[in-house]
Amino acid sequence: MKRVYLDNAATTSTAPEVLEAMKPYFTEKFGNASSVHSFGRENRNVVEDAREKVADLINADDSAEIVFTSGGTEADNLAIKGIAMKHRDEGKHIITSACEHHAVLHPCEYLEEYHDFEVTYVPVDEHGMVDQKDVEKAITDETILISVMMANNEVGTIQPIKEIGKIAKENNIYFHTDAVQAVGAISVDVNELNADLLSLSAHKFNGPKGIGALYIRKGTKITPFMHGGAQERGRRASTENVPAIVGLGKAAKVALEELEEKQEKITKLRGKLIKGIKEKIDEVTLNGHPTKRLPNNVNFSIRYIEGESLLLNLDLEGIAASSGSACTSGSLDPSHVLLAMDIPHEIAHGSLRLTLGKYTTEEEIDYVLEKLPKVVDKLRAMSPLYDQ
Amino acid sequence: MKRVYLDNAATTSTAPEVLEAMKPYFTEKFGNASSVHSFGRENRNVVEDAREKVADLINADDSAEIVFTSGGTEADNLAIKGIAMKHRDEGKHIITSACEHHAVLHPCEYLEEYHDFEVTYVPVDEHGMVDQKDVEKAITDETILISVMMANNEVGTIQPIKEIGKIAKENNIYFHTDAVQAVGAISVDVNELNADLLSLSAHKFNGPKGIGALYIRKGTKITPFMHGGAQERGRRASTENVPAIVGLGKAAKVALEELEEKQEKITKLRGKLIKGIKEKIDEVTLNGHPTKRLPNNVNFSIRYIEGESLLLNLDLEGIAASSGSACTSGSLDPSHVLLAMDIPHEIAHGSLRLTLGKYTTEEEIDYVLEKLPKVVDKLRAMSPLYDQ
Amino acid sequence: MYSDKVMDHFQNPRNVGELENADGVGEVGNPTCGDIMKIYIKVEDDTIQDIKFKTFGCGAAVATSSIATEMVKGKTIEEARELTNKKVAEALDGLPPEKMHCSNLAADALQKALDNYLGIENNNICDACEDISHHHS
Amino acid sequence: MYSDKVMDHFQNPRNVGELENADGVGEVGNPTCGDIMKIYIKVEDDTIQDIKFKTFGCGAAVATSSIATEMVKGKTIEEARELTNKKVAEALDGLPPEKMHCSNLAADALQKALDNYLGIENNNICDACEDISHHHS
Ligand SMILES: Cc1ncc(COP(=O)(O)O)c(C=O)c1O
Ligand SMILES: Cc1ncc(COP(=O)(O)O)c(C=O)c1O
Ligand code: FES
Ligand code: FES
């Protein structure tokens, strides 16, 4: 059967050249990068080389500002808990947005519950967009951290990070941005964004799973999250995951080289997909911002049908898509992001996210445009809501 | 040049069959294991299959008691902070030992500094052995957690975990053991040990780096450490690292199958190495317990010479070894483990750890026994302490 | 995730549709909690002659609707009264734990359709759904 | 980690040993902090005619000892007085940041040997080591 993968926001395949780069570090060059001997030293060098490449991708001044983590979630946890625990004497207020990933929201909730922090969740508009004025208004004397994601994982909306970063800087508040969906998809520059901390995750841009990084601007002090050995200059303990770090480095290099070309190609395919769906299916709404959105993100509410049934039917046609929040599937609630955008529950339940990737072809888009309307018809015929 | 790797306690090579098992999950079967579609579902199955294999290796009753983490350090952090944060209303006292890995000690120190916990570090004897009576004596009404490692990473001493587990159980206190060095090296049975929580790390037994697991006995409630998505039944957020999980599963299976044979072979080679060093070099002392020690661990203090110089010289002969604590090299202090065993600073500085692995050969042992005495002679000739 | 039986009923749901002159109609769930199920029955001689459903819900909701209608078609009211959530789930070779509540919907909708046929008033909507949406909110 | 120059001096240290009838001896460090260095000088006509060292320490300690002795051999006391930690480190094409303190040892030991030759009392042992061992303890 034909298989079309349109769930690249959930995860991407590891590019063959990335896997190739990683391979030697499993069986031959397997040393502990912190060891004195040659098995270790040769790996120390490749780890530092990967760090440079990640720094280049986000235009960090110094590769020492990059800390490797086990993924985007850990980078978010380290940023938020790390700043909160280190600077809790300066204030206990955090500002974030209602449409953050759970990897940001849940650490915030943890700080509320366990450490008496106060967190302001600024709202988003119907496009999932944060208004920087709301962020500014939320600032108090107690505010030590602002965390707003660069681009949303569900609806793809790109936030006014540069403006929010400026506000944070003017008010002397640490600024973190979860750029897990943005890095590798659009151009990201920590200096332009005024970011003090920035999270990224390799498996979102054809790197391996289980590796990510937190950018920590020079001079920004944090309490470590993962306590143990002195790895990562004392900022993140645990034996360095050398093959994965090498993979992240390689993926970062490729992403930087291909960025423009990939963006252009994917934006074009996305346009075709959006146009096709609107033409072929009635009563659909594009979720997220019409223009300020990730090049690879398509998110529609398709009225009268329910997400899981839609996904299962698409899957039977070989099409991999997602609905609601892919990272927390298993939950029965509609996505908090769609609800924050004031999309009614019943419509939120029928959301469909199709996210393109570097290997997506025009033929695959055509295939989806052929199958999707049929699946929607079938489900609507079964829906008690459709002809009411 | 000949290369002899005797630093298997720091990390091991990924076994070829383990890498082979992992490969398809990078490029072909790369789906997010939490996704509804077939790319996800096929990975959900392999994740659960790996969980079974890990459960088998430590004789857990139910694979749902296994939570995958990014390594031994995270497993230790999850266990210690997880129990402490969840049960802090029941008491704020923890008992651990002076010779734990930093992945246990530093989370304890964090709890002291940030959460007003009290921690008792029970001493060890000259062999690095904890006395269960000291643990029992340290118990107060406030004690909620006892954490003592199963086997020490530096000197290989195997602790009386069964006895300590029994004491914990009788006193209704959660019991965690860091079995990172033990799992895959000796037989480990969570029920026999009365462990409520047990940490393991794949790269210590020829699995990949960046993946480990925490065993959490059914009914044991913990506060999650990595906050975010609902993965791992809400106990550990972040996209499942499928290839690494598959690798851990495979390594667990192989370890269980080979355990006896490997133990026998390595113990014999270790005996030869210890005997040879004692015969060929004067003024050396074997650190750690003479019999209750990991089959793969050799740790000598070699008087009048300093560890790093020794390692560099051995490295020039192609021999990879370690000194002090491999996981925190870069520190200038002698290992806290050797100091806890009351070994004087200057002797602790001259410790040499040689740790055998599943690929170690007798020829390699012979090679070390030929080269090591020469290196020691050279360094002693340079030492201002030697003929004083 | 789902058994072959569930997938079969999901892919080829039996008895989809409405009955114009139904003798009883039962509806459970609400669109807010994500699931709605409507069952129509045609009764003759105390026997369910025909039955149709419409469902807005997950794969399990569709499959349970389908199998539940199949299980009671041709059965007497009395027999149909004995259809429970558990029996529906069993007939599907089980459901994933987090989907067990879905099986409630079908049985509940059927019971409501029977109530409606028998003239019994019943206002409560799906309890399971209420619980869940509160729990997760 | 280490430059080729460091590794060269580490592998083939110059001037290892003791001088029987040294005119000056300087010792720094202590075994507790992990490093000891002893430098022996033989002076004639205000010039360092011969110089030897013994070192218990890390690779950097060995290499700095070796190069420091080489740098001052044949030099006048006055010239030798100008040998600083920084010059030693530079001559080795640099040292890793965490090893910079090691370069102190060699220059300090040499200065002490010169003090000893000139009859100047000096009791303090290696300050760097003291600092470090306190910092890390
Ligand atoms: C915006 C965002 N943040 C954080 C994460 C978490 O990243 P990871 O799964 O690598 O931990 C994800 C995806 O899962 C994401 O999309
Ligand atoms: C006893 C012990 N605990 C914990 C760890 C940490 O494991 P990892 O490096 O996989 O995080 C190690 C080794 O590094 C260890 O030897
Ligand atoms: S009917 Fe609600 S999730 Fe299945
Ligand atoms: S001399 Fe102390 S670490 Fe180098």
Side-chain angles (χ1 to χ4, degrees):
Chain A
M1 190 182 59
K2 198 173 174 62
R3 289 183 91 190
V4 176
Y5 186 76
L6 286 178
D7 199 10
N8 287 282
T11 195
T12 60
S13 65
T14 302
E17 67 267 28
V18 170
L19 178 58
E20 223 37 64
M22 293 168 69
K23 271 186 198 162
Y25 298 93
F26 288 102
T27 44
E28 303 149 41
K29 304 179 178 184
F30 61 85
N32 187 319
S34 295
S35 298
V36 166
H37 49 67
S38 64
F39 289 82
R41 287 200 314 273
E42 65 190 7
N43 282 355
R44 166 61 41 212
N45 294 340
V46 298
V47 165
E48 296 314 319
D49 182 54
R51 208 185 297 280
E52 296 280 352
K53 288 174 182 152
V54 174
D56 285 349
L57 181 60
I58 58 172
N59 203 28
D61 297 332
D62 187 343
S63 70
E65 297 175 316
I66 306 296
V67 174
F68 292 119
T69 66
S70 65
T73 300
E74 189 187 332
D76 286 343
N77 275 262
L78 173 58
I80 290 166
K81 296 176 186 170
I83 289 289
M85 296 315 283
K86 188 74 188 179
H87 300 279
R88 68 201 192 289
D89 293 340
E90 298 154 37
K92 288 191 146 191
H93 180 237
I94 294 174
I95 301 169
T96 186
S97 91
C99 71
E100 297 298 309
H101 192 269
H102 283 146
V104 165
L105 291 179
H106 290 168
C108 286
E109 287 160 15
Y110 166 82
L111 291 169
E112 290 179 297
E113 187 179 340
Y114 286 81
H115 295 279
D116 299 322
F117 268 76
E118 271 192 55
V119 181
T120 302
Y121 302 89
V122 299
V124 293
D125 68 13
E126 74 273 26
H127 296 131
M129 188 71 90
V130 170
D131 186 337
Q132 64 262 33
K133 288 195 220 81
D134 288 334
V135 173
E136 193 159 22
K137 272 187 271 172
I139 294 173
T140 73
D141 285 353
E142 288 276 304
T143 311
I144 55 169
L145 174 66
I146 296 172
S147 177
V148 177
M149 75 199 315
M150 187 158 177
N152 186 272
N153 46 305
E154 291 185 43
V155 297
T157 301
I158 298 172
Q159 304 293 351
I161 292 307
K162 201 170 145 178
E163 291 74 13
I164 297 172
K166 200 161 154 267
I167 291 167
K169 198 176 179 181
E170 284 164 5
N171 288 276
N172 234 325
I173 297 166
Y174 291 110
F175 177 51
H176 167 248
T177 185
D178 174 345
V180 166
Q181 290 289 339
V183 170
I186 56 177
S187 148
V188 174
D189 179 328
V190 287
N191 291 317
E192 195 184 288
L193 299 175
N194 285 311
D196 297 309
L197 305 116
L198 181 143
S199 305
L200 61 89
S201 184
H203 73 94
K204 304 292 186 182
F205 54 98
N206 303 100
K209 293 177 179 50
I211 191 79
L214 181 66
Y215 162 81
I216 307 177
R217 185 177 292 279
K218 215 175 250 177
T220 305
K221 294 225 161 62
I222 57 163
T223 296
F225 170 62
M226 195 76 79
H227 286 102
Q231 292 92 351
E232 297 295 294
R233 295 188 168 81
R235 292 171 299 178
R236 199 268 179 181
S238 195
T239 301
E240 293 90 343
N241 187 353
V242 179
I245 289 171
V246 169
L248 168 53
K250 179 71 180 179
K253 183 164 182 279
V254 173
L256 190 58
E257 285 162 4
E258 292 182 350
L259 193 62
E260 270 183 61
E261 187 193 336
K262 189 176 122 187
Q263 239 175 310
E264 199 176 313
K265 176 195 135 185
I266 288 180
T267 308
K268 213 174 122 221
L269 291 180
R270 182 194 64 182
K272 179 168 185 176
L273 185 55
I274 291 179
K275 190 157 161 277
I277 290 175
K278 281 183 177 165
E279 278 169 10
K280 298 194 170 193
I281 309 174
D282 60 352
E283 301 205 62
V284 298
T285 339
L286 182 68
N287 296 316
H289 199 280
T291 56
K292 288 177 190 151
R293 74 186 298 138
L294 287 174
N296 76 338
N297 179 290
V298 174
N299 188 312
F300 273 103
S301 279
I302 303 180
R303 293 196 79 134
Y304 315 126
I305 64 179
E306 189 273 343
E308 194 199 276
S309 287
L310 181 56
L311 296 190
L312 286 173
N313 269 304
L314 286 174
D315 187 51
L316 292 168
E317 303 291 350
I319 300 166
S322 82
S323 170
S325 171
C327 295
T328 54
S329 96
S331 148
L332 304 166
D333 282 321
S335 131
H336 67 281
V337 174
L338 300 176
L339 295 182
M341 290 159 65
D342 254 348
I343 295 180
H345 264 72
E346 63 271 31
I347 301 182
H349 274 296
S351 81
L352 174 69
R353 181 182 75 175
L354 299 164
T355 44
L356 289 64
K358 93 178 206 179
Y359 301 117
T360 305
T361 63
E362 181 153 8
E363 197 207 328
E364 291 177 335
I365 299 298
D366 291 335
Y367 181 78
V368 172
L369 287 173
E370 180 202 329
K371 296 293 179 186
L372 179 60
K374 292 183 188 156
V375 165
V376 170
D377 279 350
K378 177 180 166 192
L379 283 169
R380 282 185 173 168
M382 208 189 295
S383 171
L385 302 170
Y386 189 47
D387 35 23
Q388 275 179 340
Chain B
M1 190 182 59
K2 197 175 176 60
R3 288 183 93 190
V4 176
Y5 186 76
L6 287 177
D7 199 10
N8 287 283
T11 195
T12 61
S13 65
T14 303
E17 67 267 28
V18 169
L19 177 58
E20 223 38 62
M22 294 169 67
K23 271 184 198 163
Y25 298 93
F26 287 102
T27 44
E28 302 150 40
K29 304 180 177 183
F30 61 83
N32 188 320
S34 295
S35 298
V36 167
H37 48 67
S38 65
F39 289 83
R41 286 200 314 271
E42 65 190 6
N43 282 355
R44 166 61 42 213
N45 294 340
V46 298
V47 165
E48 296 314 319
D49 182 54
R51 209 185 297 281
E52 296 280 353
K53 288 174 182 153
V54 173
D56 285 347
L57 181 59
I58 58 172
N59 203 28
D61 297 332
D62 187 343
S63 71
E65 297 175 316
I66 306 296
V67 173
F68 292 119
T69 66
S70 65
T73 300
E74 190 187 332
D76 286 343
N77 275 260
L78 173 57
I80 290 168
K81 296 176 186 170
I83 289 289
M85 297 315 282
K86 188 74 189 178
H87 301 278
R88 67 200 192 290
D89 293 340
E90 298 154 37
K92 288 192 148 192
H93 181 236
I94 293 173
I95 300 170
T96 185
S97 91
C99 71
E100 297 298 309
H101 192 269
H102 283 145
V104 165
L105 291 178
H106 289 167
C108 286
E109 288 161 15
Y110 166 82
L111 292 169
E112 291 179 295
E113 187 179 340
Y114 287 80
H115 295 279
D116 299 322
F117 268 77
E118 271 193 56
V119 181
T120 302
Y121 301 89
V122 299
V124 293
D125 68 13
E126 74 270 27
H127 295 130
M129 187 71 87
V130 170
D131 186 338
Q132 64 262 34
K133 289 196 219 78
D134 289 334
V135 173
E136 193 157 21
K137 271 185 272 171
I139 294 174
T140 73
D141 284 354
E142 288 275 304
T143 312
I144 56 169
L145 174 66
I146 296 172
S147 176
V148 176
M149 74 200 314
M150 185 158 179
N152 186 272
N153 47 305
E154 291 186 41
V155 296
T157 301
I158 299 173
Q159 304 293 353
I161 292 306
K162 203 170 143 178
E163 291 75 13
I164 298 171
K166 200 161 153 267
I167 291 168
K169 199 175 177 182
E170 284 165 5
N171 288 276
N172 235 325
I173 297 166
Y174 291 110
F175 178 50
H176 167 247
T177 185
D178 174 344
V180 167
Q181 290 289 338
V183 169
I186 56 177
S187 148
V188 174
D189 179 329
V190 287
N191 291 317
E192 195 183 288
L193 299 176
N194 285 311
D196 297 309
L197 306 116
L198 182 144
S199 305
L200 60 90
S201 183
H203 73 94
K204 305 291 187 183
F205 54 99
N206 303 100
K209 292 176 179 52
I211 191 79
L214 182 66
Y215 162 80
I216 308 178
R217 186 177 291 280
K218 215 174 251 175
T220 305
K221 294 226 161 62
I222 56 163
T223 296
F225 170 63
M226 196 76 79
H227 286 102
Q231 292 92 350
E232 297 294 293
R233 296 187 167 79
R235 291 171 300 178
R236 200 269 180 180
S238 195
T239 302
E240 292 90 344
N241 188 352
V242 179
I245 289 171
V246 169
L248 168 53
K250 179 72 179 176
K253 183 163 182 280
V254 173
L256 190 58
E257 285 163 4
E258 292 183 350
L259 193 62
E260 269 183 59
E261 186 192 337
K262 189 176 123 187
Q263 238 175 310
E264 198 176 313
K265 177 196 136 185
I266 289 180
T267 308
K268 214 175 120 219
L269 291 179
R270 182 194 63 182
K272 179 169 186 176
L273 184 54
I274 291 179
K275 190 155 163 276
I277 290 176
K278 282 184 177 165
E279 278 170 9
K280 297 192 169 192
I281 309 175
D282 60 352
E283 300 206 60
V284 298
T285 338
L286 181 69
N287 295 317
H289 199 280
T291 56
K292 288 176 191 152
R293 73 187 299 138
L294 287 174
N296 77 338
N297 179 290
V298 174
N299 188 312
F300 273 103
S301 279
I302 304 181
R303 294 195 78 133
Y304 316 125
I305 64 179
E306 189 272 342
E308 192 198 278
S309 287
L310 180 56
L311 296 190
L312 287 173
N313 269 302
L314 286 175
D315 187 52
L316 292 168
E317 303 291 349
I319 300 167
S322 82
S323 169
S325 170
C327 295
T328 54
S329 98
S331 148
L332 304 166
D333 281 321
S335 130
H336 67 282
V337 173
L338 299 177
L339 295 182
M341 290 159 63
D342 252 349
I343 295 179
H345 265 73
E346 63 270 32
I347 300 183
H349 273 296
S351 81
L352 174 68
R353 181 183 75 175
L354 299 163
T355 43
L356 289 64
K358 92 179 206 179
Y359 301 117
T360 305
T361 64
E362 180 153 8
E363 197 206 328
E364 290 177 335
I365 299 298
D366 291 335
Y367 181 78
V368 172
L369 287 174
E370 181 202 329
K371 295 293 179 186
L372 179 61
K374 292 183 188 155
V375 165
V376 170
D377 279 351
K378 178 181 166 191
L379 284 168
R380 283 184 173 170
M382 208 190 292
S383 171
L385 301 170
Y386 189 45
D387 36 23
Q388 275 180 344
Chain C
M1 180 164 79
Y2 288 130
S3 67
D4 290 346
K5 202 84 169 266
V6 174
M7 284 312 290
D8 172 32
H9 278 270
F10 174 72
Q11 271 183 268
N12 312 296
R14 287 47 146 182
N15 307 311
V16 173
E18 300 176 15
L19 289 177
E20 288 276 316
N21 299 308
D23 297 313
V25 180
E27 179 172 347
V28 292
N30 65 50
T32 306
C33 91
D35 315 291
I36 302 183
M37 196 177 291
K38 219 163 168 178
I39 286 187
Y40 303 81
I41 50 173
K42 189 107 204 133
V43 183
E44 244 169 71
D45 297 336
D46 230 39
T47 297
I48 298 175
Q49 290 292 339
D50 203 1
I51 182 164
K52 296 266 182 209
F53 78 91
K54 282 209 163 182
T55 291
F56 169 87
C58 70
V62 172
T64 51
S65 309
S66 166
I67 203 160
T69 56
E70 207 173 53
M71 285 167 86
V72 298
K73 196 168 175 177
K75 294 275 156 60
T76 63
I77 301 282
E78 208 178 334
E79 285 164 338
R81 273 296 192 197
E82 273 158 29
L83 188 82
T84 59
N85 316 325
K86 213 169 142 242
K87 284 182 189 160
V88 172
E90 274 168 15
L92 287 169
D93 298 340
L95 284 170
E98 73 276 15
K99 293 289 185 182
M100 283 308 294
H101 82 283
C102 309
S103 67
N104 296 349
L105 292 177
D108 288 356
L110 174 70
Q111 296 310 326
K112 275 194 160 182
L114 295 170
D115 287 351
N116 179 247
Y117 165 69
L118 298 167
I120 303 169
E121 272 294 347
N122 189 335
N123 286 317
N124 70 309
I125 57 159
C126 161
D127 293 332
C129 290
E130 286 283 285
D131 283 359
I132 284 154
S133 71
H134 290 161
H135 178 70
H136 281 265
S137 68
Chain D
M1 177 163 79
Y2 289 131
S3 67
D4 290 346
K5 203 80 171 267
V6 173
M7 284 311 291
D8 173 32
H9 277 271
F10 173 73
Q11 271 183 266
N12 312 296
R14 285 54 140 179
N15 305 312
V16 173
E18 300 176 14
L19 290 175
E20 287 276 315
N21 299 308
D23 297 314
V25 180
E27 179 172 346
V28 293
N30 65 50
T32 306
C33 92
D35 315 291
I36 302 184
M37 196 176 290
K38 217 162 168 177
I39 286 187
Y40 303 80
I41 50 173
K42 188 106 204 136
V43 183
E44 244 170 73
D45 296 334
D46 231 38
T47 299
I48 297 174
Q49 287 294 338
D50 203 2
I51 181 163
K52 295 268 183 208
F53 80 90
K54 282 210 162 182
T55 292
F56 169 88
C58 71
V62 173
T64 50
S65 309
S66 165
I67 204 162
T69 57
E70 205 174 54
M71 285 167 85
V72 298
K73 195 168 176 177
K75 295 276 157 61
T76 63
I77 300 282
E78 208 176 334
E79 285 164 340
R81 274 298 192 194
E82 274 159 28
L83 187 84
T84 59
N85 315 325
K86 210 167 145 243
K87 284 182 188 160
V88 172
E90 275 168 15
L92 286 169
D93 297 338
L95 284 171
E98 74 275 17
K99 292 290 185 181
M100 283 308 294
H101 80 283
C102 309
S103 67
N104 296 349
L105 290 178
D108 289 354
L110 173 70
Q111 296 309 326
K112 275 197 162 181
L114 294 170
D115 287 351
N116 179 247
Y117 166 69
L118 298 168
I120 302 169
E121 272 294 347
N122 189 333
N123 287 317
N124 70 310
I125 57 158
C126 159
D127 294 334
C129 290
E130 286 283 286
D131 283 1
I132 284 154
S133 69
H134 289 162
H135 180 69
H136 282 264
S137 67

